Amino acid sequence: MDSRLRRIAFDTWIEKTYRKFDDKGNDIGGFTTAEISRSMHRGYPADKILTDMMRAIHRYFHFPKTNRMAVGLGGGHSGYTVCVQHLMNANDASQRVYVDTPRPESDPARAAGFFRQSWATQLIEMQRFAEKGCESRIHFAASEGVIPTAAELSALGVSIFVGVGHETTGANAYTSREIHELLNWIDGDPANRHAVFDATSMLGAMPWEPALVDAVMAKCCLFMPFQKAIGGVSGYFVASFTPHALALVEKNQQDPSWAIPRQLKIAPPIDARQPLSAKRSVDAGPFYDAAEDRMLGGVINTYSALAFAETTFGLLQSEARVGSVVELNKRSAANRAVIDGWVESHPLFSLTVTDAERRGAAVTLLKVEDAGITDPAIHARIIARSKQLLGYEGFTHPNGAFEPGLDAARYVNAFPGTPGDYRAWVGGIREPSDIVALLENLQYAYLRAKIVVIEEELAKQGVTFAAPVKAGAMVRKDDPEHAYTVLIADLVGLRLGADGEPDDSEIRTYVEKKGGVFRAGPIGDRAALEKGRIHFFYQPNLSTEAEILPQTDKGQYDALIAAATFIPKASVFPFGGVRIGAGTGNMGSASWGGGNGEGGAAPLMNTPGINSRATAQMAVKAILKVVPDLPVDRLHQMVANGDFDTGRQLKDFPTAKLEGRKIAILGYGNIGREVAKLAKAFGMKVVIYARQHHQGWIESEGFDYAASPVEAATGADVLSVHIGLGRLDAARGVYSNAGVVDTQVLAAMNDGAVLVNYDRGEVVDAAALDQALSSGKIAHAAIDADLFKDAATGKLSGPMVPYLPLEERHKGKLELLPHAAADTDHPSRVTGAKQAVDQIFDVIRFKSVTNLKGDLPQGYVSAGGRTPAGIGRVTKRVVSEVSGNSELLDELRRTSEKVAAIVGALSVVSDPSHRDRIIDRYTGLLAENAGRQRALLDQLGLYGPAAE
């Protein structure tokens, strides 16, 4: 994912950085990566891309302006060849070369394999096959990567030091003392003494003091395949030369001892028309001259301009993320210390470089020290199988169980013959946490591979093991000897059946398909219940505490499903409860700690979002009843009576549409967001008050954010409340959001405004509403709140009670509903009941809690949230479900890529005529795919605020 985002960021950077200009210098747009990739290796912008990269490398790594930097095709070996072929001259009998690697085919060299020996081999062959060559002029190190003292180099008469033993294969680094000795040797005769390093891993991973690093950059030549130093596309190298080295190159070209292939020449003929006789000079070579800030010559063959651009982009990103090269070197050293500490506390591994100061700061080489494995062949098999696991392929156990790969195999292979088992790039580009993760993965992979190899050996002897439980499979935790009981205390179907009663058949069928039992009425004979099954007892007519407690006070039911019925504190449900809907204020059982779900032994759950759309639609219906204020009933009657003339009388009924009017919505939960979407569809200006951390999402959906209820209500024509009661202050018995809509909020609205409270009755201050209705500030109020009536006494209770006197005083200005907006929609109730059944099955069978409200009791695990597609937040669960729908996911990707391609093209083009051609050709495609993209996002539940 990070790579994809970087690719997109790179494309954008290319388009902004490399612009197209017409012949008058007018900017007509940016180059795209597609255009640059089409063999644009000459002229503009290719020349600029190359110069920009060389400048960025030169600047970032502190190469001095006196040194020139060549660029060419190939990797590190090409850079090495370029350096040694130009600096070494077999015709100079006095020239002596020292290479810090053992003589090829000697005992110290044999353990390194071909790769390590190849560096010195090339030097020998150059001398061996040159007419005046003599391989005795080459001196070799006794061991890998060791620099002699200045006195020793002087005594040998060395004029060229070649350092190729650093980092790459042996994971060793030069010590500060060695570098000081080498620089002292150079300073003794700088015009005639040259050092050239393989900086493939060394660049940006020099664990020395900054002044010493700067001295190396200034006084030594370095070559490297640059993508390994900073990342990016491979296929080229850069090589830095000191002024004295450049002078030596030109001198050698006057009396060359071997032919240098054209693509590797860095001192080509100055006059290209005379390729044999013209003077050859580095002034015509593929060099960047920092002093003049320009490329001196061309690059041979076709290179990838995108590779160069990606290097520049990578450098800029690394600089922003890590800091200067000084910080990069520091972090390389810090990463080396992280590895040292980790290995010290993990005895399974050892570092092949025993001298801590000589351990590489960019590459580490690890060896497994497993006393239990003494057979070298078995050891090798374990290492090989571990690398399968580190890679993408994974491995299959003898019992057929497949273990997928970690896809973490980035340079984990040690070179053949080296003493280590794993090699890893660990320089400063990597975060320290990534280093630890890599090491942990290495250990994990080794131990898992050891298991599978031992299993294979045992299988040969007939010893096998049963396949383990499939990873990720949920393990049943219910008791097969227990008959579980669940009380359903509210209606699970609101549509009337053939018998005139609410139809529960959909839920009955759903429970039975899941393996449960659905029964009407109370438990009865518990001993007769089938064990190992979940029995649901449907009693939707339970209402009062006197009816509920005799059945629930001793834990007769293991769990509960309820909607509106208030569950007393003394009711006991050991396995928890689910409220069909969002609010849980009616779920008073102490089993889960009451309506807040805090401090109980059982989990409290809800089904948020189930009735959000139904509630939102009812809220909009309440608004449309009075706004626009066309007297529909009166007009209907006049028309029905034949008492209306459209031509003369229509002017007597002016009105105004909803479009352009302001609606203030308090709360950005599931219902508030649905109301906002509907209001937006009517063209209303939507302002939302919610907690500040919602602001970004509110504004991203095209709504305005308000920091307070008063700010939201200021100048509003409609106020819709969906904020919830908030937390209960147990000491005072008051909810935090009670009375939020007070005198100040109502006074801020436009005169003649509409108030809709389809939330909780308590959130509006009834006395303040009374005043606003009297003054005309509020012209109409729609309230939906619970109202309860004692069957014996007729006494009324509930949050609707304070509104009843207002109806008497303000006839026709109020519409009062008994909390019916959310609880009368049959499809919503059935959907919520099915989800509640699912959650009960999960909590009993797996101790898995979905849509937890409050605290998670000990012994349970949270399964996150679940809402209908498009309702509420986009959770990990939603994305997980989407990822399993490959067909729709592929379609969303295709449509999104088309939208991105067209929008990207429009954003990068400056020329009006060119833009017009794009608009003319692709407007239809853009509109079609943008619409389909939005529909797919809604369908998949990906359009909405992110989960916290």
Side-chain angles (χ1 to χ4, degrees):
M1 183 61 217
D2 288 342
S3 295
R4 288 179 182 274
L5 290 174
R6 278 195 298 270
R7 188 79 244 171
I8 294 168
F10 173 65
D11 288 352
T12 303
W13 177 80
I14 283 283
E15 292 165 1
K16 288 183 177 179
T17 305
Y18 298 104
R19 309 295 296 176
K20 300 174 183 174
F21 301 94
D22 62 18
D23 61 346
K24 295 182 179 180
N26 298 312
D27 186 315
I28 57 173
F31 281 97
T32 65
T33 52
E35 290 170 315
I36 292 174
S37 68
R38 291 200 296 264
S39 300
M40 295 182 66
H41 60 282
R42 293 290 184 272
Y44 180 83
D47 292 343
K48 176 173 170 45
I49 290 172
L50 172 58
T51 303
D52 287 349
M53 180 193 75
M54 300 298 276
R55 181 191 303 113
I57 295 173
H58 204 282
R59 175 194 61 81
Y60 183 75
F61 289 101
H62 293 185
F63 288 101
K65 288 192 174 182
T66 54
N67 293 9
R68 290 181 182 177
M69 194 159 53
V71 60
L73 296 178
H77 269 281
S78 293
Y80 170 76
T81 300
V82 165
C83 289
V84 298
Q85 284 197 335
H86 286 82
L87 294 174
M88 197 167 75
N89 192 336
N91 294 337
D92 184 355
S94 66
Q95 190 183 70
R96 297 290 183 273
V97 178
Y98 184 95
V99 57
D100 69 338
T101 192
R103 175 183 288 276
E105 300 184 8
S106 66
D107 288 340
R110 285 193 179 94
F114 168 76
F115 182 83
R116 290 306 306 151
Q117 297 186 75
S118 65
W119 304 96
T121 298
Q122 184 171 350
L123 295 176
I124 290 175
E125 289 180 338
M126 288 169 64
Q127 291 285 355
R128 182 175 291 180
F129 301 136
E131 181 182 3
K132 298 179 181 179
C134 177
E135 58 189 271
S136 66
R137 300 171 189 166
I138 305 172
H139 299 279
F140 300 93
S143 60
E144 198 74 61
V146 175
I147 301 176
T149 66
E152 289 169 334
L153 288 171
S154 299
L156 292 172
V158 171
S159 54
I160 298 177
F161 170 87
V162 181
V164 293
H166 178 94
E167 289 286 1
T168 305
T169 56
N172 53 283
Y174 301 123
T175 67
S176 175
R177 178 190 55 79
E178 287 177 316
I179 294 298
H180 275 294
E181 287 290 334
L182 183 70
L183 295 176
N184 289 338
W185 170 73
I186 293 174
D187 290 340
D189 187 2
N192 297 300
R193 292 177 179 176
H194 311 281
V196 55
F197 282 113
D198 173 11
T200 298
S201 304
M202 186 175 169
L203 200 65
M206 300 181 185
W208 318 307
E209 58 270 29
L212 188 59
V213 173
D214 286 341
V216 170
M217 305 301 289
K219 297 179 181 182
C220 301
C221 302
L222 299 96
F223 65 88
M224 68 232 76
F226 198 75
Q227 88 287 351
K228 286 186 179 178
I230 204 71
V233 179
S234 61
Y236 69 95
F237 70 89
V238 293
S240 172
F241 292 87
T242 67
H244 292 308
L246 292 172
L248 177 60
V249 170
E250 292 212 340
K251 176 184 175 184
N252 287 339
Q253 288 306 298
Q254 309 313 310
D255 182 25
S257 52
W258 36 65
I260 299 176
R262 179 67 183 95
Q263 69 270 23
L264 298 181
K265 286 183 184 292
I266 59 173
I270 291 178
D271 187 347
R273 295 169 300 179
Q274 296 180 296
L276 292 175
S277 58
K279 179 185 177 182
R280 299 172 186 180
S281 173
V282 293
D283 291 337
F287 279 97
Y288 171 71
D289 188 330
E292 298 185 16
D293 189 27
R294 69 183 182 93
M295 291 297 299
L296 301 180
V299 177
I300 306 305
N301 288 349
T302 302
Y303 61 80
S304 169
L306 281 181
F308 292 166
E310 193 168 65
T311 297
T312 306
F313 179 71
L315 269 174
L316 295 174
Q317 279 201 321
S318 296
E319 188 171 23
R321 182 167 55 90
V322 178
S324 69
V325 71
V326 174
E327 295 303 316
L328 186 65
N329 280 317
K330 284 182 181 177
R331 201 159 83 167
S332 293
N335 284 350
R336 180 171 67 171
V338 167
I339 296 166
D340 289 349
W342 188 90
V343 171
E344 187 176 346
S345 61
H346 291 76
L348 182 62
F349 290 93
S350 67
L351 290 158
T352 60
V353 180
T354 56
D355 184 347
E357 191 181 3
R358 294 184 62 80
R359 288 175 191 155
V363 176
T364 192
L365 196 61
L366 296 167
K367 182 173 178 58
V368 174
E369 305 284 358
D370 190 344
I373 302 295
T374 57
D375 185 336
I378 295 291
H379 175 86
R381 275 174 58 197
I382 296 174
I383 297 299
R385 299 306 290 272
S386 73
K387 290 173 182 176
Q388 284 181 235
L389 187 60
L390 288 165
Y392 58 86
E393 57 187 313
F395 47 60
T396 302
H397 292 258
N399 63 8
F402 175 69
E403 193 160 348
L406 299 175
D407 195 19
R410 301 293 182 264
Y411 297 99
V412 297
N413 292 312
F415 279 88
T418 56
D421 294 311
Y422 302 105
R423 180 177 68 120
W425 293 84
V426 293
I429 294 301
R430 290 196 175 202
E431 297 284 346
S433 59
D434 288 345
I435 303 300
V436 174
L438 172 63
L439 296 171
E440 297 285 355
N441 279 328
L442 290 177
Q443 176 170 269
Y444 174 82
Y446 175 82
L447 294 174
R448 297 301 300 169
K450 180 179 177 180
I451 288 172
V452 78
V453 169
I454 291 175
E455 286 175 344
E456 290 169 349
E457 290 301 303
L458 289 171
K460 294 176 184 178
Q461 302 172 32
V463 180
T464 57
F465 301 90
V469 176
K470 187 177 180 181
M474 297 183 72
V475 179
R476 292 280 292 267
K477 297 181 179 180
D478 51 329
D479 182 357
E481 296 301 315
H482 183 78
Y484 292 92
T485 56
V486 181
L487 171 64
I488 302 178
D490 279 290
L491 290 170
V492 293
L494 304 177
R495 183 180 295 145
L496 299 180
D499 59 358
E501 295 294 325
D503 185 5
D504 58 33
S505 61
E506 291 179 76
I507 302 305
R508 178 186 295 272
T509 301
Y510 190 75
V511 166
E512 291 170 351
K513 281 186 176 180
K514 288 182 71 71
V517 180
F518 189 93
R519 303 172 183 271
I523 291 177
D525 184 6
R526 189 182 186 101
L529 298 178
E530 183 180 352
K531 295 178 180 179
R533 299 185 73 180
I534 303 176
H535 302 260
F536 292 81
F537 294 89
Y538 186 44
Q539 299 186 73
N541 295 320
L542 290 177
S543 178
T544 66
E545 185 172 327
E547 295 171 332
I548 296 171
L549 276 182
Q551 292 194 50
T552 61
D553 61 341
K554 295 180 176 61
Q556 296 93 320
Y557 295 95
D558 294 302
L560 166 77
I561 294 175
T565 300
F566 185 85
I567 306 302
K569 180 178 181 180
S571 294
V572 179
F573 301 97
F575 280 80
V578 184
R579 197 259 163 165
I580 302 175
T584 53
N586 64 307
M587 304 290 279
S589 170
S591 293
W592 45 72
N596 289 331
E598 297 174 351
L604 174 61
M605 297 166 279
N606 59 359
T607 62
I610 291 298
N611 53 12
S612 297
R613 287 185 176 134
T615 306
Q617 290 167 19
M618 292 297 289
V620 172
K621 179 180 180 180
I623 297 169
L624 290 172
K625 190 170 183 178
V626 290
V627 183
D629 56 351
L630 189 67
V632 175
D633 292 342
R634 180 182 171 193
L635 287 171
H636 164 77
Q637 195 59 51
M638 293 175 72
V639 170
N641 294 337
D643 187 22
F644 199 91
D645 181 274
T646 300
R648 289 184 301 103
Q649 293 176 277
L650 204 59
K651 62 178 176 51
D652 298 329
F653 299 91
T655 187
K657 60 185 181 295
L658 280 176
E659 184 179 0
R661 298 198 187 191
K662 176 180 175 179
I663 180 171
I665 298 172
L666 305 188
Y668 191 58
N670 298 331
I671 299 173
R673 180 168 176 262
E674 289 301 308
V675 172
K677 288 158 65 176
L678 292 174
K680 184 179 180 181
F682 280 102
M684 299 185 76
K685 179 183 178 182
V686 181
V687 180
I688 300 173
Y689 160 71
R691 286 174 289 176
Q692 199 275 330
H693 71 268
H694 291 309
Q695 181 175 355
W697 287 106
I698 290 170
E699 292 174 345
S700 74
E701 294 196 272
F703 308 129
D704 292 336
Y705 173 77
S708 69
V710 172
E711 181 182 336
T714 300
D717 301 290
V718 179
L719 175 65
S720 192
V721 189
H722 307 282
I723 202 167
L725 284 174
R727 293 184 60 82
L728 174 65
D729 184 336
R732 297 190 302 132
V734 176
Y735 288 95
S736 61
N737 287 335
V740 163
V741 180
D742 56 12
T743 302
Q744 282 186 298
V745 171
L746 296 174
M749 300 180 71
N750 285 339
D751 291 340
V754 175
L755 168 67
V756 178
N757 178 17
Y758 277 17
D759 187 6
R760 293 291 186 271
E762 298 93 324
V763 299
V764 173
D765 182 338
L769 176 59
D770 188 9
Q771 295 175 13
L773 288 167
S774 298
S775 68
K777 176 62 71 172
I778 298 297
H780 182 82
I783 311 296
D784 184 43
D786 289 321
L787 181 66
F788 304 105
K789 184 175 183 179
D790 188 290
T793 65
K795 183 180 179 181
L796 297 176
S797 62
M800 176 58 79
V801 171
Y803 295 95
L804 299 180
L806 274 62
E807 164 62 19
E808 292 294 325
R809 289 196 291 274
H810 307 286
K811 284 292 184 181
K813 291 185 177 182
L814 282 91
E815 180 181 73
L816 306 180
L817 299 179
H819 214 175
D823 292 331
T824 54
D825 180 61
H826 174 75
S828 295
R829 178 59 66 88
V830 170
T831 301
K834 287 180 178 179
Q835 183 171 317
V837 168
D838 289 341
Q839 291 174 214
I840 289 294
F841 266 88
D842 286 346
V843 84
I844 290 176
R845 287 183 171 178
F846 307 110
K847 295 294 185 86
S848 177
V849 182
T850 300
N851 292 324
L852 174 69
K853 180 75 174 180
D855 297 331
L856 180 69
Q858 187 174 2
Y860 292 86
V861 295
S862 175
R866 176 183 170 188
T867 58
I871 295 288
R873 299 181 176 279
V874 179
T875 65
K876 293 177 183 178
R877 182 171 185 160
V878 169
V879 178
S880 178
E881 292 172 354
V882 167
S883 67
N885 193 335
S886 58
E887 187 175 337
L888 285 181
L889 201 60
D890 286 344
E891 186 181 356
L892 177 59
R893 174 177 176 170
R894 290 194 300 271
T895 58
S896 299
E897 286 172 344
K898 289 175 184 175
V899 170
I902 299 167
V903 171
L906 289 171
S907 69
V908 75
V909 171
S910 300
D911 177 53
S913 61
H914 190 179
R915 190 187 299 116
D916 287 345
R917 289 195 298 275
I918 294 173
I919 292 170
D920 182 60
R921 181 175 296 183
Y922 296 111
T923 293
L925 188 65
L926 174 62
E928 176 187 347
N929 283 278
R932 184 55 182 155
Q933 180 191 49
R934 174 62 188 272
L936 285 166
L937 289 171
D938 276 333
Q939 184 177 350
L940 293 169
L942 296 177
Y943 185 78
E948 296 177 3

